[in-house]
Amino acid sequence: MPRRPVHPSVTSSSVSRPGPTAPSRERPTDTGRARSGPRRHRRRLPAALVATAALVTAVLVGATVEPATAATTDVRTATAAQLYGAGQYRSSTSEAAKAATALQTSDPAGARAAAAIARYPVATWLGEWTTGTTLTRTIDTATAGAAAAGTTAVFVVYAIPDRDCGGYSAGGFDERTYDAWIDQVVARVSGTRSAVVVEPDALAMLSNAACSDSIDAQRYRILSRTVAAFTAAGVPSYLDGGNSNWVSPATMAARLQSAGVANARGFSTNVANYHPTNQEQAYAQRVSALTGGAHYVIDTSRNGQGWRGTWCNAPGAGLGTTPRVGTDGTALDALLWVKTPGASDGTCNGGPTAGKWYSAYAQALVANGSLGATASGTAMGTVDWATGGSGSVRVSGWAADPARTTATLTVRVSVDGARAAPAAADRPRQDVADAYGVGAAHGYDVTVPASAGVREVCVDTTTVAGVASRLGCESVRVSGRDPVVALERATVSAGGISVSGYAVDADDPAAALRTTLLVDGKAVRTVSADVARTGVAALDGLGTRHGFAAVVPAGAGKHTVCARAADVGGGADVTAPCRSVTVAASAPRAALDSVTSPRHRRVALRGWGFDRDAVGAAVTVVVSVAGRSPVRVSASAVRDDVDRSYGVGRSHGLSTVVAASSGTRSVCVRVVGLGAGGDRSLGCRSVRVR
């Protein structure tokens, strides 16, 4: 859940960072894909949110502010109230505040949304874009503002070597430069009321195949030095602990211990992600218990609607609980806004480059926001996966009531808002028991009817106390009786147009569909859709050998290419949306493999040639020996290798013998074109004729 372009160089109080890449994340089970987290009760933001700043001061829930500074407090034993005072520091020059000003004339709705976000605190991100005087000014501005307000400036250091392991947010310093840079950060925050989130994703991403095996030791070494330095300076630091749906608590606890969590204040969770607060806290409590009671903070900036099926500019996401100091007696120090709401995660779901302001998304976050206190009575659970079949949808996940862990909850699946029959979440899920300590009998696996097309599938449940919770939603493609066919690619190649796609009929998932390829409305080739394909949502549950790939003939000019799949059940043939391709004029494609003299006064030539403008015809090859009258031969011999390489048919081989006088002779060859591209010379060869 993620990768990102390099962050822009900024001097403001916040820098965006997208969340990590979904397929690489380790989770309590081996499904290898992102899971939907529960969604808290949805509360749309009233207009008053935009109109008033009164809510800004409500960052504490029943907490008593204890005046203290980091310089006089042991950061490992202090109370959360001592460390955070009146809460997280809010900058008047945050990215949201800047966007609100910049968009006033061009995008009034976007400006209002940005202003609403700007009313709340957000962390200040530090990386290779903040060095030298920029680093000093950024830190000093935030710490001075926090001191004046009695709040705590929250920073994020994000410049570890090989950051993001080559993903969208790739970058960072080398180790020596990083250590020196951290020393500068420590020197500026020492003696101030500050807190630092240390290197989001750095530990969780050790599960990512993109990260080299050698990186583990280096990261443990760097992170241990970093948190020890902050602690020595009297500044609480939090190693990043991933999130509840990435790495198991036991694995994360082991990594945190290797990274020096015993010398830090604790760890952070859910940075730049969407998982519900109660689910994150259940995960964090498990990790805390395994790390000697380490404290933790949770990023709630965008989790108001829970997990939305993707980490990257997730559709339907909303602002989460506003920053506040923990008062529930657990190891929770604070709910913070670490990620900058409104800043893009990257070029996905319509977003601009990572870190750029995404106005439409900011407006959606505000509209979908749920800023109140955490609803501790909601259910926990996920939609692990949902797949469409022939007239049906199958959905699987888990649901549990944290207040009544032995109770069996009922889940309700809806398709495009229409509810199906309820089902019990009572299947064994040992991974859930291991991760959350709620017992194993909380899984569900339900199949419900659905009409053909792309459908939104949602799962809801209700706790024993009657609190409704949405576990998540997924978009799936449901097949009907007609086949599903897609022409995914059509590009110019040496032999014409290379095409590929897939075709499947849910009436007979094992069948390799006969697929007709058409050029300008004329059927030119029929192929069998039996090539292995993976990662195609339309093929979920129907097998993987439903792809096709071929070359279709096409001469110079603009062409329309289509694919039509033959139905094998009671439906009709289906033609995929067509693609337009322009083929440039070109000379024949040809090669002269050999020129030899096999016997007295004879020269043998072997090679091949074809013209893309007419691959169904044999090209003429003109052979001239020692400047004498040329001999014209047809390149029509069988050459299976040419067909395998170019998809133009077998009959394009050159195999001929011509007369020549004895001695050393020059043999010149030219291939006559059949279209507008002209001829192609294959040059001359010198051969000693017997």
Side-chain angles (χ1 to χ4, degrees):
M1 293 173 232
R3 333 343 9 116
R4 308 136 270 221
V6 176
H7 289 282
S9 177
V10 297
T11 59
S12 67
S13 65
S14 61
V15 176
S16 170
R17 184 198 71 84
T21 303
S24 65
R25 298 192 168 192
E26 177 185 342
R27 298 174 179 81
T29 62
D30 296 325
T31 62
R33 57 169 292 174
R35 295 195 178 151
S36 305
R39 184 166 74 172
R40 294 176 34 223
H41 177 69
R42 175 172 181 157
R43 187 188 78 183
R44 291 200 173 271
L45 292 169
L49 168 65
V50 179
T52 179
L55 291 175
V56 177
T57 59
V59 295
L60 291 174
V61 180
T64 300
V65 178
E66 299 182 25
T69 65
T72 60
T73 304
D74 184 334
V75 297
R76 287 171 294 183
T77 60
T79 66
Q82 285 176 314
L83 295 178
Y84 285 92
Q88 183 179 358
Y89 167 65
R90 181 184 73 87
S91 169
S92 60
T93 59
S94 66
E95 291 301 296
K98 292 180 178 179
T101 300
L103 298 174
Q104 280 183 347
T105 301
S106 61
D107 182 6
R112 289 192 295 272
I117 294 171
R119 297 180 189 279
Y120 300 97
V122 69
T124 299
W125 288 68
L126 306 174
E128 60 266 36
W129 56 89
T130 45
T131 59
T133 57
T134 299
L135 177 67
T136 299
R137 183 172 60 252
T138 300
I139 294 175
D140 289 354
T141 299
T143 55
T151 55
T152 295
V154 177
F155 297 97
V156 181
V157 289
Y158 193 55
I160 199 165
D162 202 16
R163 183 181 62 214
D164 203 34
C165 297
Y168 285 175
S169 286
F173 296 119
D174 60 64
E175 185 171 355
R176 184 174 181 179
T177 304
Y178 182 85
D179 287 344
W181 179 75
I182 286 293
D183 288 343
Q184 296 173 45
V185 175
V186 171
R188 300 312 300 183
V189 298
S190 178
T192 69
R193 188 192 288 278
S194 303
V196 183
V197 174
V198 178
E199 298 299 337
D201 303 345
L203 293 177
M205 282 202 79
L206 296 180
S207 300
N208 192 327
C211 297
S212 66
D213 293 337
S214 62
I215 204 173
D216 297 39
Q218 183 194 49
R219 289 204 168 171
Y220 293 145
R221 181 173 64 246
I222 290 174
L223 293 173
S224 294
R225 284 199 301 255
T226 298
V227 296
F230 281 121
T231 297
V235 175
S237 60
Y238 301 88
L239 291 162
D240 189 62
N243 63 60
S244 61
N245 211 32
W246 192 349
V247 179
S248 71
T251 298
M252 180 50 69
R255 292 178 185 175
L256 287 168
Q257 289 170 331
S258 296
V261 71
N263 292 321
R265 173 68 177 181
F267 59 94
S268 57
T269 79
N270 209 39
V271 172
N273 227 294
Y274 306 86
H275 298 290
T277 305
N278 65 330
Q279 184 168 312
E280 284 301 302
Q281 187 164 12
Y283 164 78
Q285 284 294 124
R286 299 275 288 180
V287 175
S288 175
L290 294 169
T291 52
H295 292 262
Y296 57 88
V297 293
I298 301 173
D299 183 2
T300 60
S301 57
R302 304 188 300 181
N303 74 344
Q305 296 298 326
W307 174 248
R308 301 296 300 172
T310 177
W311 63 268
C312 196
N313 299 323
L319 299 176
T321 304
T322 53
R324 59 195 66 204
V325 180
T327 60
D328 62 357
T330 69
L332 173 68
D333 276 349
L335 304 180
L336 304 175
W337 280 13
V338 182
K339 165 73 178 182
T340 302
S344 176
D345 290 324
T347 52
C348 52
N349 286 316
T353 302
K356 299 293 185 182
W357 192 258
Y358 185 5
S359 181
Y361 195 54
Q363 294 175 56
L365 289 171
V366 171
N368 296 329
S370 180
L371 303 180
T374 305
S376 59
T378 58
M380 301 167 59
T382 64
V383 175
D384 289 344
W385 51 262
T387 58
S390 177
S392 66
V393 171
R394 183 181 176 187
V395 60
S396 176
W398 64 274
D401 186 338
R404 294 281 299 277
T405 58
T406 59
T408 297
L409 298 187
T410 297
V411 294
R412 298 174 298 279
V413 179
S414 61
V415 179
D416 290 342
R419 283 189 174 177
D426 58 1
R427 296 193 173 210
R429 286 290 298 266
Q430 188 59 43
D431 59 311
V432 172
D434 294 341
Y436 302 103
V438 294
H442 295 295
Y444 64 86
D445 191 334
V446 184
T447 300
V448 298
S451 56
V454 177
R455 304 296 173 206
E456 183 181 50
V457 182
C458 297
V459 182
D460 296 89
T461 191
T462 302
T463 65
V464 175
V467 179
S469 302
R470 171 149 288 182
L471 302 182
C473 297
E474 297 277 355
S475 291
V476 300
R477 180 180 292 278
V478 180
S479 58
R481 295 182 63 84
D482 296 340
V484 174
V485 58
L487 180 60
E488 297 175 294
R489 183 177 66 92
T491 58
V492 177
S493 64
I497 298 175
S498 293
V499 300
S500 63
Y502 59 85
V504 62
D505 193 327
D507 289 329
D508 187 358
L513 295 193
R514 183 172 54 85
T515 305
T516 302
L517 305 176
L518 304 94
V519 177
D520 300 329
K522 180 181 179 182
V524 295
R525 178 159 295 181
T526 299
V527 295
S528 179
D530 57 3
V531 178
R533 287 297 311 276
T534 58
V536 179
L539 303 182
D540 285 351
L542 300 176
T544 59
R545 302 196 68 86
H546 295 294
F548 63 81
V551 176
V552 295
K558 186 175 182 180
H559 302 282
T560 299
V561 184
C562 308
R564 183 175 63 225
D567 179 76
V568 295
D573 296 353
V574 174
T575 300
C578 302
R579 293 182 177 271
S580 180
V581 182
T582 299
V583 179
S586 66
R589 177 65 65 98
L592 188 58
D593 296 335
S594 64
V595 180
T596 62
S597 178
R599 58 183 185 273
H600 186 57
R601 292 187 176 182
R602 292 292 183 270
V603 173
L605 298 93
R606 188 175 185 277
W608 55 269
F610 62 85
D611 193 320
R612 186 167 64 193
D613 279 330
V615 294
V619 294
T620 296
V621 180
V622 179
V623 181
S624 177
V625 180
R628 295 186 177 182
S629 298
V631 176
R632 301 172 71 89
V633 296
S634 175
S636 57
V638 172
R639 286 291 296 265
D640 288 327
D641 58 327
V642 174
D643 186 35
R644 286 193 298 270
S645 297
Y646 298 100
V648 293
R650 307 169 62 215
S651 302
H652 293 291
L654 170 66
S655 182
T656 190
V657 177
V658 298
S661 57
S662 298
T664 300
R665 306 299 177 203
S666 177
V667 181
C668 300
V669 181
R670 174 171 55 90
V671 181
V672 180
L674 301 176
D679 299 349
R680 180 177 296 279
S681 172
L682 298 183
C684 299
R685 302 272 186 96
S686 180
V687 62
R688 182 164 185 79
V689 182
R690 295 184 185 183

